[in-house]
Amino acid sequence: MAAYRGLLVSFLLPLLLQTVYPLQLDHSDVKLFAELEELARIVDISYCIGATGLGIQKPFQCLSRCSEFEDFELVTTWNTGLLLSDSCGYIALSHPPSPPRIIVAFRGTYSIANTIADLSTIPQEYVPYPGGDDGGSESSKLLGRGDTIPTRAGETPPPSNPPKCTNCTVHMGFHTSWLNTRKSILPDLTKSMELYPNYTLTLVGHSLGGAVATLAGLDFKNRGWDPRVTTFGEPRVGNAALAQYINKRFDIPPANETSSRKSAKFYRITHINDPVPLLPLAEWGYAMHGEELFISAPSLPPAVSDIRHCNGDEDPHCIAGDGDERPLWGIPTRFKFWELFFAHRDYFWRLGLCVPGGDPWDWYREYRKYGDGMDEMENTEL
């Protein structure tokens, strides 16, 4: 009987593991963990821009974590306002010996009320670039620049013929945030791309900034650029058709296919108990896209083994099913709005407060610079 049980377990265990895809603690997954942890600190710096921060100054100085990135050079910051369609962030160059990157970091929103309100507006039709820049379109009206935004200094946009997004709708507030942001950042961004053509275009965003980063990534992809996108606590951006369009544009594999995960160019990071990735509600016509990595540890800091590769767009073993089987006080995760202060901010670090060393919650922790000795992290916590 014991031998039979052993055979049964050895047969079933691989099938069970196919569902949740935990990081395997090999060198490539440890490297991915380190990259995500660094990107979390990079996007945390974006909270220095806006009402509660004193900003970021050149060469790369701020009250928060700027000193942790000695090889960074600030290009510009932007702040489009304090309305529901506001957007803040910065563009920086990551010079060697750090990985050569042009980083565009999109901040979330300070206001919890605004966060919830941002998630309640009606959807609108999504038209990919360059269609969204056609004369008379809503995009053109908002930008006031038509199709004349340069992609390299002194040039007009590249010829682009991206596939249509049939029956796609997008959250109006998120889309407006991106349109307002686009006119603010494209001149500086394209100039940086001209000066540093071999640097990787890297987009990172948290919360509302994750939604804007996603739409920016689509825009840049449709222009013929090659962005890498990482979002933390990204809400649902649009309907199922738009989610599938994102998957196709970024070569995100469907459920049960994992061959390209090691070289993925889009990661959507979620955290247990975070309500924002579950909003706007599916009942309102919104859906998640794929390439989700789920942080299963409720408290900080997570270990490498706490990160799961999820299966498909809405894996029930990841954020899509979080809390459905064990709702706290009968309240499912998507309605735990108090977690906007906690789980929604807890992505490797507690994000969202521009003070020396980051949020005081993190002051007892040390960060590490990762190099050839990353294997030492395999069974440790940061």
Side-chain angles (χ1 to χ4, degrees):
M1 181 63 71
Y4 174 78
R5 289 176 179 172
L7 288 173
L8 183 62
V9 169
S10 65
F11 174 76
L12 290 178
L13 186 58
L15 298 179
L16 294 173
L17 289 177
Q18 286 180 5
T19 302
V20 295
Y21 303 114
L23 295 191
Q24 299 300 308
L25 299 179
D26 61 17
H27 185 273
S28 60
D29 277 336
V30 171
K31 182 175 183 292
L32 173 59
F33 183 94
E35 292 173 351
L36 297 176
E37 183 277 331
E38 183 190 55
L39 286 170
R41 288 185 283 126
I42 288 172
V43 79
D44 192 24
I45 292 171
S46 68
Y47 281 91
C48 289
I49 303 167
T52 64
L54 297 178
I56 309 174
Q57 293 80 40
K58 294 184 177 182
F60 194 70
Q61 298 174 336
C62 64
L63 288 179
S64 183
R65 304 181 182 277
C66 292
S67 61
E68 300 170 12
F69 300 95
E70 298 176 353
D71 303 317
F72 279 27
E73 175 188 350
L74 179 66
V75 175
T76 190
T77 64
W78 77 87
N79 185 346
T80 64
L82 298 176
L83 301 177
L84 295 183
S85 59
D86 70 339
S87 175
C88 297
Y90 67 91
I91 301 174
L93 302 172
S94 170
H95 295 298
S98 294
R101 295 166 290 181
I102 300 172
I103 294 172
V104 188
F106 299 84
R107 199 201 78 185
T109 178
Y110 282 115
S111 171
I112 300 301
N114 278 3
T115 300
I116 298 172
D118 280 350
L119 300 176
S120 64
T121 58
I122 61 174
Q124 67 177 66
E125 179 184 5
Y126 176 77
V127 181
Y129 171 89
D133 285 333
D134 291 340
S137 71
E138 189 65 24
S139 302
S140 180
K141 293 175 185 177
L142 283 167
L143 287 171
R145 303 178 65 168
D147 199 28
T148 62
I149 299 174
T151 59
R152 291 291 190 271
E155 296 182 2
T156 55
S160 179
N161 188 28
K164 294 182 179 180
C165 194
T166 305
N167 298 322
C168 292
T169 60
V170 62
H171 183 284
M172 182 182 298
F174 300 157
H175 192 233
T176 303
S177 290
W178 165 235
L179 295 179
N180 290 339
T181 302
R182 182 168 65 179
K183 65 180 180 182
S184 297
I185 70 173
L186 275 177
D188 289 302
L189 178 58
T190 55
K191 182 177 180 181
S192 296
M193 293 176 65
E194 180 184 53
L195 294 173
Y196 301 93
N198 297 322
Y199 280 34
T200 302
L201 179 56
T202 303
L203 313 183
V204 59
H206 172 243
S207 188
L208 169 64
V212 180
T214 298
L215 295 174
L218 270 185
D219 188 307
F220 297 161
K221 194 78 172 178
N222 290 339
R223 290 171 185 265
W225 300 349
D226 189 25
R228 294 180 61 92
V229 184
T230 302
T231 66
F232 299 94
E234 173 196 334
R236 291 173 170 137
V237 177
N239 66 354
L242 181 60
Q244 290 307 306
Y245 186 76
I246 294 170
N247 290 344
K248 290 179 181 179
R249 295 301 288 145
F250 283 93
D251 297 320
I252 295 174
N256 300 317
E257 291 187 17
T258 62
S259 58
S260 66
R261 291 185 186 275
K262 301 297 184 182
S263 58
K265 293 188 176 181
F266 199 127
Y267 285 115
R268 178 171 63 90
I269 317 303
T270 62
H271 182 230
I272 188 171
N273 293 326
D274 184 357
V276 172
L278 301 171
L279 298 171
L281 300 177
E283 292 88 336
W284 298 347
Y286 288 86
M288 301 177 188
H289 61 83
E291 210 61 88
E292 177 186 0
L293 294 177
F294 179 62
I295 303 174
S296 60
S299 58
L300 293 171
V304 179
S305 56
D306 294 322
I307 315 298
R308 301 176 183 173
H309 280 300
C310 302
N311 188 2
D313 294 347
E314 301 201 10
D315 188 337
H317 297 277
C318 294
I319 195 65
D322 186 19
D324 287 348
E325 298 179 358
R326 54 187 192 288
L328 180 63
W329 303 321
I331 303 174
T333 295
R334 59 184 180 168
F335 297 129
K336 297 176 182 176
F337 294 124
W338 63 87
E339 290 289 0
L340 293 168
F341 295 97
F342 303 104
H344 182 52
R345 296 174 57 201
D346 289 353
Y347 284 89
F348 296 90
W349 303 85
R350 180 153 286 180
L351 310 180
L353 188 61
C354 181
V355 297
D359 193 294
W361 180 269
D362 292 327
W363 285 354
Y364 74 99
R365 296 172 55 197
E366 295 181 358
Y367 72 94
R368 295 178 59 180
K369 293 185 178 180
Y370 309 107
D372 295 334
M374 282 191 297
D375 290 332
E376 299 174 2
M377 291 176 51
E378 293 188 358
N379 295 299
T380 65
E381 296 180 348
L382 286 181

